[in-house]
Amino acid sequence: MTVLPSHRDQGIPLREFAQRRQRLIEQMAPDSIAIVSAAPERTRSRDTQHPYRQDSDFHYLTGFDEPHAVLALIPGREHGESVLFCKERDPAKELWDGLLLGPDGAVSTLGMDDAFPISDIDDILPGLIEGRSRVYYSIGRDAAFDTRVMEWVNSIRSKVRNGARPPGEFVALEHTLHDMRLFKSAAELKIMEQAAAISAEAHIRAMQRAHPGLREYQLEAELLHCFMDHGARSPAYPSIVGSGGNACILHYIENNGLLREGELVLIDAGCEYQGYAADITRTFPVTGKFSAEQKAVYEIVLAAQEAAIAAVKPENHWNQPHEAAVEVLCQGMLDLGLLQGSLEEVIEQGHYREYFMHRTGHWLGMDVHDVGDYKIGGAWRVLEPGMTLTVEPGLYINPHNDKVDERWRGIGVRIEDDVVVTGKGRRILTGDVPKQIDDIEALMSDG
Ligand code: GLY
Ligand code: MN
Ligand code: MN
């Protein structure tokens, strides 16, 4: 078993954030500026906010988790290339809302070259943009901030007769930044291992505590307890706990159904730990014992997942694990009589999509569906060490599908693990939670 994190773990070292800024600056044009905003706060009701979650790009470059902050990266600027705007310290406000870092702290603690109060940004940032011909910016993610960026640019445009030089070009920051985020460093992988270990333990806890008569949200409570108990304060995405036919609803999050004897329950849940997501799915019987039909479907999905995981290796391209999974799933569906025809036909004509309607995985990182291109120049991207992805085939037989024998209806199975590409092949981060039928049944009979 992976050792669970200690409550003293510090996460990504501060120097790594500085190195990221440096690497980004090195890839920018010399006469440019990059602007990255902190995530806005979101109202939950009246004066109550949703728990604040920093924007992943902003956190990746700063390690800073306060709202109302803006990072500017300015290659070659004499007084420093990394400039942060953030809230000023204010003892009266801090008494109510907690400590603020303040501009001085941004320099001394975060290693910024320069920092200013966010309240001064309208006066200072246009002057930093002026004379830079290119602005790297992620347009369209935050409409309110887009408007402010345009206001700053327009304020420079309004002064061209005085010799001001407004930027002529906006460039998507994502191309460069998201390619950096796609490749995980050793420190990032250590955190992702810990996120995976906590999430694996949570799945084991849910399996051990499942029994008929519980509500799905009571298993969700077991997951959340385990996440928080190990320092992961939030799930990385809303947990899916779907029993019986609910397992066939891909993004089921109501989680209020009853766990019934004879049914399976599908749990898709992972924590966010130190800013990084885990994403695990396991499907198991409510009573701990698979029926013959459940076993048959489960074994197909498991074989497909194993074939897909084996296809995760350097030199293979992004789609090869998916192709491997589809082939095994299709053969399995033909064998069970869920599909008719030849293997080539059902693959080429996509008949399998009635039962397997999603992709076999996605990049995983700070965001559960993490950033990074899947194709380059129209071709599937080749896998390289440090890329991290999920492998998650499934089969979902709708409870109302009267084309198939009744005994198969309402069975939904997905199995999902998190995998990092290594020099030689792959490493599974989420292997601590059992997925072989015998191991699940043994764990649940001990529970
Ligand atoms: N939990 C979302 C996904 O598996 O993609
Ligand atoms: Mn998932
Ligand atoms: Mn996933």
Side-chain angles (χ1 to χ4, degrees):
M1 295 282 260
T2 311
V3 179
L4 288 167
S6 127
H7 293 280
R8 290 186 305 280
D9 281 351
Q10 288 303 309
I12 304 284
L14 278 168
R15 69 174 177 283
E16 187 160 327
F17 292 102
Q19 285 161 356
R20 292 169 182 173
R21 292 193 292 274
Q22 202 47 49
R23 276 176 45 219
L24 182 55
I25 286 168
E26 281 161 15
Q27 295 174 73
M28 291 165 59
D31 60 344
S32 66
I33 181 169
I35 300 172
V36 189
S37 167
E41 290 177 297
R42 307 268 183 210
T43 302
R44 182 174 186 279
S45 79
R46 268 176 70 79
D47 57 352
T48 305
Q49 309 293 326
H50 281 286
Y52 186 70
R53 191 337 182 127
Q54 187 55 279
D55 176 81
S56 298
D57 285 343
F58 186 87
H59 181 91
Y60 182 81
L61 292 171
T62 61
F64 186 49
D65 281 334
E66 287 182 24
H68 303 292
V70 173
L71 174 70
L73 297 177
I74 313 167
R77 176 174 173 261
E78 198 179 327
H79 299 294
E81 299 181 313
S82 292
V83 180
L84 191 77
F85 294 86
C86 62
K87 285 192 276 192
E88 272 185 293
R89 297 210 58 190
D90 178 341
K93 274 200 198 126
E94 288 177 42
L95 186 65
W96 287 87
D97 297 327
L99 292 182
L100 297 169
L101 189 65
D104 291 345
V107 173
S108 61
T109 308
L110 298 179
M112 294 292 159
D113 298 319
D114 211 352
F116 301 100
I118 189 77
S119 52
D120 292 346
I121 194 166
D122 290 336
D123 298 328
I124 296 172
L125 190 52
L128 298 176
I129 299 171
E130 203 273 323
R132 302 259 152 190
S133 63
R134 189 179 289 193
V135 179
Y136 292 88
Y137 176 64
S138 296
I139 208 153
R141 292 219 314 232
D142 175 349
F145 195 75
D146 287 352
T147 304
R148 299 196 63 198
V149 172
M150 290 311 146
E151 282 166 2
W152 294 322
V153 170
N154 283 337
S155 79
I156 305 168
R157 287 179 181 152
S158 72
K159 298 191 183 91
V160 283
R161 280 184 298 278
N162 304 336
R165 288 170 302 149
E169 200 181 343
F170 273 80
V171 181
L173 177 65
E174 294 93 310
H175 286 311
T176 321
L177 183 56
H178 291 179
D179 213 60
M180 288 170 58
R181 280 180 53 191
L182 178 57
F183 293 88
K184 274 63 182 180
S185 70
E188 288 181 293
L189 286 174
K190 179 154 182 269
I191 293 175
M192 291 187 73
E193 259 168 37
Q194 294 174 329
I198 295 169
S199 305
E201 174 138 321
H203 276 259
I204 289 172
R205 182 180 167 107
M207 280 184 193
Q208 286 173 323
R209 290 175 187 228
H211 60 81
L214 283 185
R215 292 275 165 185
E216 292 160 344
Y217 53 68
Q218 291 178 284
L219 289 189
E220 184 181 5
E222 301 294 346
L223 301 163
L224 295 178
H225 174 93
C226 191
F227 293 169
M228 275 222 184
D229 197 35
H230 290 100
R233 301 287 299 278
S234 166
Y237 54 92
S239 304
I240 297 169
V241 183
S243 60
N246 294 338
C248 299
I249 304 169
L250 295 181
H251 289 163
Y252 176 78
I253 52 169
E254 286 166 37
N255 297 357
N256 59 4
L258 207 54
L259 269 53
R260 294 191 171 82
E261 182 144 6
E263 291 185 337
L264 294 175
V265 53
L266 180 155
I267 297 186
D268 182 344
C271 69
E272 180 173 294
Y273 182 69
Q274 308 233 11
Y276 287 79
D279 184 7
I280 304 180
T281 307
R282 289 293 184 267
T283 311
F284 56 89
V286 169
T287 52
K289 217 65 202 136
F290 285 84
S291 72
E293 288 77 15
Q294 291 164 351
K295 234 180 219 180
V297 175
Y298 189 94
E299 291 288 15
I300 293 168
V301 177
L302 183 59
Q305 203 229 15
E306 288 171 342
I309 288 176
V312 175
K313 55 183 175 191
E315 311 298 329
N316 271 5
H317 64 65
W318 164 258
N319 210 41
Q320 273 170 277
H322 181 66
E323 288 164 4
V326 166
E327 187 169 336
V328 176
L329 291 173
C330 285
Q331 187 57 57
M333 286 186 268
L334 289 167
D335 295 344
L336 293 188
L338 296 175
L339 292 176
Q340 282 78 38
S342 71
L343 183 61
E344 293 70 32
E345 262 166 29
V346 297
I347 293 176
E348 261 164 42
Q349 293 171 20
H351 296 320
Y352 64 87
R353 292 203 191 96
E354 183 167 2
Y355 303 102
F356 177 47
M357 56 296 275
H358 58 78
R359 302 278 316 172
T360 299
H362 48 83
W363 302 132
L364 182 73
M366 300 181 78
D367 296 308
V368 61
H369 295 162
D370 207 29
V371 295
D373 291 333
Y374 292 96
K375 280 189 166 178
I376 291 189
W380 292 113
R381 182 161 204 157
V382 171
L383 298 175
E384 294 177 57
M387 293 175 166
T388 307
L389 57 140
T390 67
V391 180
E392 50 178 309
L395 280 184
Y396 314 92
I397 308 164
N398 194 295
H400 309 293
N401 183 343
D402 55 13
K403 284 184 292 191
V404 300
D405 198 303
E406 210 177 328
R407 66 202 176 109
W408 302 116
R409 294 182 206 162
I411 297 181
V413 174
R414 177 164 67 256
I415 307 171
E416 175 174 28
D417 281 302
D418 303 343
V419 181
V420 54
V421 182
T422 62
K424 293 206 182 87
R426 76 213 63 81
R427 188 154 55 89
I428 300 175
L429 300 177
T430 46
D432 288 346
V433 50
K435 61 182 174 184
Q436 302 296 329
I437 285 182
D438 289 349
D439 294 338
I440 292 175
E441 290 188 342
L443 175 78
M444 292 184 71
S445 70
D446 289 347

